[in-house]
C-alpha cells in the first residue's frame, strides 16, 4: 500500500514538487508539468509526452537530452488537462514543431487532441502519436483501440532520437508510428495497487492466483490463472507475444528489444529470474535480443506484477534506439548538454481580467458559487465510495479526480465573485479550473458542462430558469459531441440526458427553476441507479464490461449527487430568477 502521503488529493502536486527538487540537473517545472533544464537545438522537433501520475519513471523520468523535451503530468491515473499539455508544449517548443506522445486512453485522447488543436490554431505545427502496444486490451482487428503500457518507452525513445538528429516533424511522426506498429506488450499481476489514502487495493486476486492482461491503472485483468513458476510465466508471456509478429516479419533472424517491466512490487531479483527464461525462449524462436531492459519503466504504485514488451527493430529503428540519452530514469552513451539560463522557457499564468457585470448577474454568481460549494461538499463526502465504484471495472481514480476538480472550481469561482464577476464569467472561471486540475475524462466533461451553462447565461441579467435549462441542454450536446458517448453506453450521459429532458419539460410548462430542478433531480437519481444494469461501451471499463454489471457508473453517480446538492441550495435560498 502507499504509506507516505499527506492529503491524498494533494499527492500528485507534492510528488511533482519533490521530483523537480531532486532532479534539477535534467528538468525544471512549468505550469502543467516539466521540461528539459538543458538547451535543445533551435528549430528542432520537440517531443512532449504525458499521462497520469503514479507510473514513475513514466512520464517525467523520461525528460532529458536525447529523450523527451517535456512531460505533462496529470493527477493520479488521470490524464493531464488540455491546458497543462498546452503549457508544457509551449515551453518545450523549439520552433520545429511539436509531437505529442501518450497512451491510448480516453482522457488522454480527449485532452491531447484539444491541446493539439489549440497549438495548431496558434500556428505551431503539432502532431500526435497514441501508443497501442497492449495486446490484451483489444483484438488484433481493433488495434487502434489498444492502450499504451510499457511500449511507450520504445516509441518515445526512437521519436526523440530522430528529433535530436534533426529530422523533420513528418519524419519523426513516421518513425514514431513505425515503432508503435512494431511494439507489443502483455502483462500479469499478483495483486492490485492501492492509491494514497485508500485502505484496500483497486482490485484483488485470490491467494495463489494471477490476473492476466491487466492494465497499468489498477484495472483488473481479463482472465485469471493459478500462479505459475517463473519459467512457466516466461513461456506464457513469450508465447502470447509471438502470436502477433508484426506484418511482413518472421521470428527467425529478427532483432528485438525485450523489455521486462516491473509494475511496482516485484523485485529486480525476481525479474532477473524471469528474464533468464525469456532470453532462452527468444533464442529458441530464432530471435536476437538487442539491448534488453529489465527493471521498473512504467509502474503502478505498489502493484505486484510484470509485463513483457517486444520491440521489433529495423536498421533505422535500432540506430535510434541506441542513440545517446540522458534523462533521470533512462541513460545511455555520452551526452553533452548545456544548462539553461534561469528563466528560459518559463511560462507564467497571466491574471485574467473580469468583464463588467450588473448587480443582478453578480447576485446570480453568488448563487452559482453556493451551488459549487454544495457540489464540493457532496463530492468530498462520497469520494471514497466513488473511487470504489470506479475500481470495479476501471482505475479507481474518479473520487480523487472529482475532488481535485470541484475544489479548483470553488477556488476559481470564489476569486471571480470576490472580484465582481457576473454569472457567466464565474462559470467560465470554474469550468477552466475544473478541467485543468481534475484532468482525466471527467475533468474535460465537467469543464465543458460548466462552460456550456456559462454560454447560456450572461453578465447582464440574473440567470433565469430558461437560461439554466438551455445551459444544461448545451452541456449535454457538447459532452456527447466531444466524448462520443450516447445514452446506453454507461456514462454520465445516461444521467445528463434524462435530467436535461425532464428539466426542459417542466421549465417549458412554466414551473419555477427550484420545482423543475427538484423533479429532474429525482429522474437523475433513478437514471444513475439504472446504469447498474448497463454494460459499458466507452473508456477503460469497456474491457471489463462483465465485471461492471450490477454496479452503477461512477460518473453517473457523481453527477446525480451534484444535481441533488444543487437543488438543496435552490431550496435554502432562491436568489436565481425563477422564471423568464
Amino acid at each position: 500500500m502507499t504509506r507516505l502521503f499527506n492529503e491524498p488529493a494533494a499527492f500528485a502536486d507534492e510528488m511533482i514538487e519533490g521530483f523537480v527538487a531532486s532532479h534539477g540537473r535534467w528538468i525544471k517545472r512549468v505550469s502543467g508539468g516539466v521540461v528539459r533544464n538543458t538547451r535543445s537545438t533551435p528549430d528542432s522537433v520537440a517531443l512532449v509526452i504525458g499521462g497520469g501520475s503514479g507510473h514513475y519513471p513514466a512520464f517525467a523520468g523520461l525528460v532529458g537530452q536525447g529523450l523527451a523535451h517535456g512531460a505533462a503530468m496529470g493527477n493520479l491515473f488521470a490524464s493531464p488537462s488540455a491546458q497543462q499539455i498546452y503549457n508544457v508544449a509551449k515551453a518545450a517548443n523549439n520552433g520545429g514543431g511539436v509531437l505529442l506522445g501518450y497512451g491510448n486512453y480516453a482522457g488522454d485522447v480527449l485532452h491531447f487532441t484539444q491541446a493539439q488543436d489549440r497549438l495548431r490554431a496558434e500556428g505551431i505545427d503539432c502532431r500526435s502519436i497514441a501508443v497501442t502496444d497492449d495486446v490484451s486490451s483489444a483484438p488484433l482487428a481493433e488495434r487502434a483501440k489498444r492502450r499504451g503500457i510499457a511500449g511507450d518507452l520504445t516509441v518515445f525513445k526512437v521519436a526523440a532520437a530522430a528529433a535530436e538528429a534533426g529530422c523533420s516533424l513528418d519524419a519523426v511522426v513516421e518513425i514514431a508510428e513505425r515503432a508503435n506498429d512494431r511494439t507489443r506488450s502483455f502483462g500479469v499481476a499478483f495483486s492490485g495497487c492501492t492509491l494514497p489514502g485508500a485502505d484496500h487495493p483497486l482490485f484483488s486476486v485470490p491467494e495463489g492466483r494471477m490476473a492476466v492482461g491487466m492494465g497499468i491503472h489498477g484495472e483488473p485483468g481479463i482472465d485469471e490463472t493459478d500462479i505459475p513458476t517463473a519459467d512457466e510465466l516466461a513461456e506464457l508471456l513469450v508465447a502470447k507475444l509471438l502470436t502477433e509478429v508484426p506484418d511482413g516479419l518472421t521470428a527467425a533472424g529478427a532483432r528485438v528489444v525485450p523489455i521486462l517491466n516491473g509494475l511496482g512490487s516485484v523485485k529486480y531479483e525476481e525479474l532477473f529470474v524471469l528474464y533468464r527464461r525469456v532470453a532462452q525462449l527468444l533464442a529458441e524462436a530464432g530471435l536476437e535480443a538487442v539491448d534488453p531492459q529489465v527493471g521498473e519503466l512504467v509502474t503502478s504504485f505498489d502493484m505486484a506484477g510484470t509485463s513483457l514488451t517486444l520491440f521489433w527493430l529495423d536498421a533505422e529503428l535500432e540506430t535510434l534506439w541506441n542513440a545517446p540519452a540522458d534523462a533521470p530514469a533512462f541513460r545511455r552513451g555520452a551526452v553533452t548538454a548545456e544548462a539553461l539560463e534561469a528563466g528560459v522557457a518559463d511560462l507564467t499564468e497571466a491574471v485574467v481580467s473580469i468583464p463588467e457585470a450588473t448587480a443582478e448577474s453578480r447576485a446570480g454568481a453568488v448563487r452559482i458559487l453556493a451551488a459549487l460549494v454544495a457540489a464540493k461538499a457532496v463530492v468530498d463526502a462520497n469520494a471514497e465510495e466513488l473511487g470504489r465504484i470506479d475500481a470495479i471495472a476501471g482505475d479507481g481514480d474518479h473520487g480523487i479526480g472529482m475532488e481535485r476538480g470541484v475544489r479548483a472550481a470553488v477556488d476559481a469561482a470564489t476569486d471571480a465573485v470576490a472580484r465582481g464577476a457576473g454569472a457567466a464569467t464565474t462559470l467560465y472561471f470554474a469550468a477552466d479550473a475544473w478541467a485543468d486540475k481534475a484532468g482525466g475524462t471527467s475533468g474535460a466533461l465537467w469543464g465543458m458542462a460548466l462552460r456550456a451553462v456559462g454560454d447560456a447565461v450572461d453578465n447582464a441579467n440574473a440567470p433565469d430558469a430558461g437560461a439554466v435549462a438551455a445551459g444544461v441542454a448545451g452541456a449535454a450536446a457538447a459532452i456527447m459531441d466531444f466524448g462520443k458517448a450516447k445514452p446506453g453506453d454507461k456514462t454520465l450521459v445516461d444521467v445528463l440526458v434524462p435530467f436535461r429532458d425532464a428539466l426542459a419539460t417542466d421549465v417549458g410548462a412554466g414551473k419555477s427553476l427550484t420545482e423543475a430542478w427538484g423533479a429532474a433531480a429525482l429522474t437523475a437519481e433513478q437514471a444513475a441507479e439504472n446504469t447498474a444494469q448497463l454494460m459499458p461501451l466507452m473508456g477503460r471499463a469497456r474491457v471489463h464490461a462483465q465485471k461492471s454489471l450490477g454496479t452503477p457508473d461512477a460518473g453517473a453517480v457523481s453527477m446525480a449527487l451534484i444535481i441533488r446538492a444543487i437543488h438543496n441550495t435552490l431550496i435554502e435560498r432562491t436568489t436565481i430568477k425563477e422564471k423568464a
Side-chain angles (χ1 to χ4, degrees):
M1 61 183 295
T2 305
R3 297 173 177 83
L4 299 177
F5 59 89
N6 296 307
E7 183 183 358
F11 185 91
D13 289 332
E14 294 177 347
M15 177 274 297
I16 295 170
E17 184 179 349
F19 171 68
V20 172
S22 59
H23 290 86
R25 178 166 78 82
W26 294 275
I27 53 95
K28 62 181 297 183
R29 189 168 190 176
V30 295
S31 179
V34 297
V35 295
R36 289 184 186 179
N37 204 17
T38 53
R39 292 188 181 277
S40 299
T41 304
D43 299 320
S44 62
V45 174
L47 173 66
V48 173
I49 62 177
S53 297
H55 304 302
Y56 191 84
F59 295 87
L62 302 180
V63 175
Q65 210 73 21
L67 245 163
H69 296 75
M73 304 174 69
N75 188 27
L76 302 179
F77 294 175
S79 67
S81 69
Q83 182 67 46
Q84 289 178 289
I85 299 159
Y86 168 83
N87 288 344
V88 174
K90 287 280 285 187
N93 181 29
N94 301 314
V98 175
L99 175 61
L100 303 176
Y102 51 92
N104 192 31
Y105 297 88
D108 289 312
V109 173
L110 295 178
H111 287 289
F112 276 90
T113 300
Q114 280 187 319
Q116 174 181 271
D117 291 345
R118 184 173 173 186
L119 291 163
R120 287 177 174 176
E122 295 184 5
I124 297 174
D125 195 357
C126 183
R127 319 283 179 82
S128 296
I129 178 71
V131 181
T132 55
D133 60 302
D134 181 13
V135 302
S136 69
S137 54
L140 184 59
E142 299 179 330
R143 273 194 58 213
K145 295 181 179 179
R146 288 179 172 176
R147 57 198 172 193
I149 52 174
D152 286 351
L153 175 63
T154 67
V155 178
F156 298 161
K157 173 61 178 69
V158 298
E164 208 76 45
C167 293
S168 68
L169 181 56
D170 285 341
V172 173
V173 170
E174 186 279 325
I175 286 164
E177 290 175 343
R178 191 178 352 140
N180 188 44
D181 288 341
R182 288 169 166 255
T183 302
R184 304 284 192 276
S185 300
F186 185 59
V188 301
F190 311 105
S191 68
C193 60
T194 307
L195 293 175
D199 57 6
H200 56 274
L202 294 179
F203 73 90
S204 59
V205 183
E207 187 72 25
R209 301 283 284 175
M210 176 180 75
V212 177
M214 79 302 131
I216 58 168
H217 296 91
E219 306 100 322
I222 60 173
D223 197 5
E224 226 178 66
T225 68
D226 290 336
I227 293 179
T229 65
D231 284 359
E232 290 168 342
L233 178 55
E235 290 161 7
L236 170 67
L237 296 173
V238 173
K240 179 64 175 179
L241 294 182
L242 291 186
T243 64
E244 286 205 15
V245 177
D247 291 343
L249 300 176
T250 58
R255 294 167 65 81
V256 298
V257 175
I259 300 174
L260 187 61
N261 175 58
L263 283 159
S265 290
V266 175
K267 301 297 294 181
Y268 273 67
E269 290 84 350
E270 296 173 272
L271 293 175
F272 293 142
V273 170
L274 180 60
Y275 186 73
R276 158 194 159 276
R277 182 56 179 155
V278 168
Q280 294 170 356
L281 292 167
L282 295 178
E284 290 172 9
L287 294 164
E288 183 174 350
V290 177
D291 188 33
Q293 301 292 312
V294 179
E296 292 185 347
L297 297 162
V298 179
T299 63
S300 187
F301 276 103
D302 60 334
M303 185 186 291
T306 184
S307 65
L308 177 65
T309 299
L310 293 183
F311 175 34
W312 299 73
L313 298 168
D314 60 25
E316 183 178 31
L317 293 176
E318 184 168 349
T319 297
L320 295 170
W321 173 261
N322 288 322
D326 184 26
F330 192 90
R331 305 173 207 169
R332 63 151 41 90
V335 175
T336 301
E338 184 180 352
L340 287 174
E341 297 175 2
V344 174
D346 251 337
L347 266 182
T348 56
E349 297 179 10
V351 176
V352 180
S353 61
I354 300 291
E356 291 186 6
T358 64
E360 291 81 5
S361 186
R362 291 198 302 271
V366 171
R367 297 313 306 148
I368 288 167
L369 174 57
L372 288 169
V373 169
K376 174 183 177 298
V378 77
V379 168
D380 285 346
N382 291 276
E384 184 175 349
E385 176 63 9
L386 292 172
R388 186 196 68 79
I389 295 171
D390 189 38
I392 299 296
D395 54 14
D397 69 337
H398 187 70
I400 289 178
M402 289 293 290
E403 276 189 309
R404 286 172 61 92
V406 73
R407 289 179 185 183
V410 168
D411 289 345
T414 300
D415 174 62
V417 169
R419 294 165 61 194
T425 301
T426 299
L427 282 163
Y428 291 154
F429 271 49
D432 291 346
W434 192 315
D436 188 31
K437 294 301 183 182
T441 306
S442 67
L445 300 184
W446 273 97
M448 285 182 176
L450 294 180
R451 181 161 283 274
V453 178
D455 289 341
V457 303
D458 55 40
N459 291 321
N461 302 288
D464 61 31
V468 173
V472 172
I479 286 173
M480 287 190 287
D481 179 64
F482 185 66
K484 307 306 179 188
K486 58 187 183 299
D489 286 347
K490 195 165 186 172
T491 71
L492 58 79
V493 167
D494 290 298
V495 167
L496 182 55
V497 167
F499 173 73
R500 173 202 66 189
D501 294 344
L503 182 66
T505 297
D506 281 358
V507 168
K511 293 184 179 180
S512 70
L513 179 61
T514 301
E515 187 178 5
W517 192 284
L522 289 172
T523 299
E525 289 164 343
Q526 185 60 56
E529 185 178 331
N530 291 345
T531 62
Q533 306 311 315
L534 298 175
M535 298 278 278
L537 300 177
M538 300 287 290
R540 294 175 195 157
R542 174 183 56 84
V543 182
H544 304 286
Q546 289 291 343
K547 292 180 182 291
S548 78
L549 195 60
T551 301
D553 177 70
V557 171
S558 62
M559 173 159 280
L561 287 171
I562 289 173
I563 287 170
R564 174 58 66 189
I566 292 173
H567 180 244
N568 292 337
T569 69
L570 294 174
I571 293 172
E572 290 165 6
R573 181 183 172 190
T574 305
T575 58
I576 293 179
K577 189 176 178 182
E578 290 286 353
K579 297 181 182 179

